[in-house]
Amino acid sequence: MKVDRSRFKQTRYKASEECEDLIEFLRSCSESQLLENLKSVTSSNVGKCQLIHWIDVLDRFDTIYEKQCDLNGNSTASSWLETGELEDLTVACLNFTALLIEHCSSRTLEAYNSLDRLAALLVSARWEIILAILALLFVFSKRSVALKSMENGESLLQQLFNLVENWGGQEHGLKLADCCRDLSQENRLQSAQARVLSLAVLVYSDVSQVMLESVLYGGLIEEMVDVLKLEDPRLTEIKYAILGTLTAIVCCDQGPRFQDVIEATGAAKNDGFLPVMVRKCIDQLTDPNMPPFPHQLATALFSFLYHLGKYEKGGEALVSCLLMESLLKVVNHYSDSHEFITFVTRAVVIIDLITNLDMNAFQTHNGLDILEKRMRHEVPSGGTATCQPEQPVDDVGRQYHHRRFALVKSLQNFFEKVEKDPSFVNSVHPSVGLPVVENPKDHRYKHLPKFKVTMGNLTKSAPSRDGHLCTRSTYEMDVLYRSITITWNGSEREEHWEMFDKACGMGDYASVYRIHKKGDEDAGQCIKQLTKEKNEDLMQFIERTNSEAATQFACSAQELADYHNILPLYGISEVFQFGNKDRVFLLLPFIQGGNFLDLLFKGHRVITPQNLSEILAQSLSGLAIIHQKGIAHRDLHLQNFMLTKSLYENDFAVLIADFGKAVASWSKNKDEDLQTFQFNDILQLLACMVSLWISEPPESIIGLSFKNFIPSGSDYKLFFEKVMSPLC
């Protein structure tokens, strides 16, 4: 077994039915059937899946590599396969593995331990095997996995360096284009292609500059571009390799070589080689009367444009060469081919990158109208594209291809940016009323401040405190401190906190703990701990916690000093395991004034009309903000109204808390009309105000159990009837 299963992150998701059928077939079929079927597999067969699903298949491939290594070592041919067939099968397995890694949504490549086999096979006498290995290593390296840190990675990279360095073309006045023009000598083209692929892997793998300088010499970039200019259909594969190498240079070197790529390709000129090549590619992709542009080459070309446009100098170059019209032409072309959808997605992303730099061209060519039309075509008006991992479906349950879903997501991201861009202030925003795109990691939650949590125990103990976030006070006893390290996503900033092990507040679905920075026990915040229930899977738990955080974050100010009668949310943690349970933390401010229920049961003085008037005004203000955001709270009981200070201090403020049951216009669980929910919010708020005035909670008035403080399904109509009847 050459795949280290322990290194793979476990997943709760199953592969698609088509994927499972393919996996089972490849595991159990005969060797001759394996060879025949691997040649016919495309990315559409594989789709988006998890690499862990393919462990058994990869292990089987490794046994084939082992047999090929034995054959290279002058062993007798395999009894079950002739020598030529074994080599063909080795190539097919390598090509399929590269395809698999390219399209898997998780890539735990450190667990792949066949690098020693690949290193041994690099000495093969057959160029097809060498090129297949290099293509696989190219995919490895460009997926941000440093080969040199993997087992046998260093020696493998040294082999690639030797392959490039021993070329000797520069010393003998032999350039890449010369080799590609004269194909009379056997294997010359394969040798040049191997050199280019090896160079790309070295660039992506972050080898030493000394090593890189000796092989990436001055003039080599121009040599590669000269090959791209040659008109010969036999050169498609080496052109693909060259575009991959240029992309690697753009991604890994924003210094002088980046500018060399722009100048050599003519990327900044309207009549430069690269813009002309792109326009030719797009014309042939969108015009059925023209000969087809090689798909492999088109894929590499769009990838190069995307990575070039990610950087300021590259984006400015793409603007200078006036490519906006051609890119919009791709978006405006409608084809049933899933392969073409990939190019549309790339075009949308590139347009997104350069629109701010080329607003005039975007507006001149009706960019907004074209993108809106495309969005409405992909998801019909009023529809919803819902994508769970590996099994995308549309709003009526039809299979929704992963490539089409990626296109819809890229369009949605563009329109979200448009809504916030002052450049479009005088434009009709097409995103208003557009179909909704839903995914556990989608746009609803991408703006949430997120952090990772590391928990630990401390030996220190101290008496617990009453946090006043809920009505249940902590018991006066010594409790264990726990250490918490918070690492904010997108930065290296770490915060070190300490928390009491005893909760200062408990609810039906969460518990609240006060935390403070080490050495400063007076100043602090709170964490609300949400735990996955037994009857929900991980995705349901993530959806529930993210939904609560998103609704609260949308309504609240980010600093308590700027409160708008909503309890602020500072951030939400990623899911982590502690005590064999999946948990999520919400980071909140520590509120010392208690809640409305405390006013009834903690011996406070009578609430005056002036107090009640101020409480009502602030509560209505907070509720108005919630409703204006398209959200209904649905849980406005006495404990969910917080007070920043004592009621009898002049500058107290009311904060609405706990959005665990809230629904919004984008919520999946919105099973009733939102206006009905919002009307019920008003009834709940008024019931709380009446309860404060008459000093009796709503649930005791209508005869429900007071045990848990929170009535289940309170009949507010009955409540108001009972309250008002003595007054009538």
Side-chain angles (χ1 to χ4, degrees), residues 345 375 378-379 385 400 403-413 436-437:
T345 304
M375 182 65 150
E378 299 301 332
V379 186
Y400 207 79
R403 292 183 180 175
R404 192 173 297 278
F405 185 81
L407 169 59
V408 175
K409 287 296 299 173
S410 63
L411 288 165
Q412 184 73 43
N413 291 338
V436 177
V437 183

Side-chain angles (χ1 to χ4, degrees), residues 600 638 687-688 690-701 719:
L600 299 182
L638 294 173
C688 289
V690 173
S691 295
L692 291 178
W693 180 244
I694 65 176
S695 299
E696 193 171 357
E699 47 269 43
S700 65
I701 293 174
F719 167 78

Side-chain angles (χ1 to χ4, degrees), residues 181-192:
R181 287 191 186 96
D182 181 12
L183 301 179
S184 59
Q185 294 190 28
E186 187 178 3
N187 299 328
R188 173 175 279 186
L189 182 59
Q190 290 94 327
S191 177

Side-chain angles (χ1 to χ4, degrees), residues 41-55:
V41 174
T42 66
S43 59
S44 296
N45 301 110
V46 174
K48 286 294 182 183
C49 58
Q50 303 285 339
L51 195 61
I52 192 174
H53 297 143
W54 297 87
I55 288 180

Side-chain angles (χ1 to χ4, degrees), residues 227-282:
V227 175
L228 294 177
K229 295 178 180 179
L230 298 177
E231 297 289 343
D232 189 330
R234 294 175 295 177
L235 302 179
T236 297
E237 290 190 2
I238 191 170
K239 288 183 178 181
Y240 170 81
I242 286 173
L243 283 172
T245 304
L246 294 176
T247 302
I249 295 172
V250 165
C251 292
C252 303
D253 186 352
Q254 282 78 59
R257 292 194 187 100
F258 190 102
Q259 189 61 39
D260 290 343
V261 171
I262 292 176
E263 293 178 0
T265 58
K269 301 175 183 177
N270 185 30
D271 58 350
F273 167 71
L274 178 67
V276 171
M277 184 182 183
V278 172
R279 293 188 185 98
K280 177 184 177 182
C281 171
I282 290 174

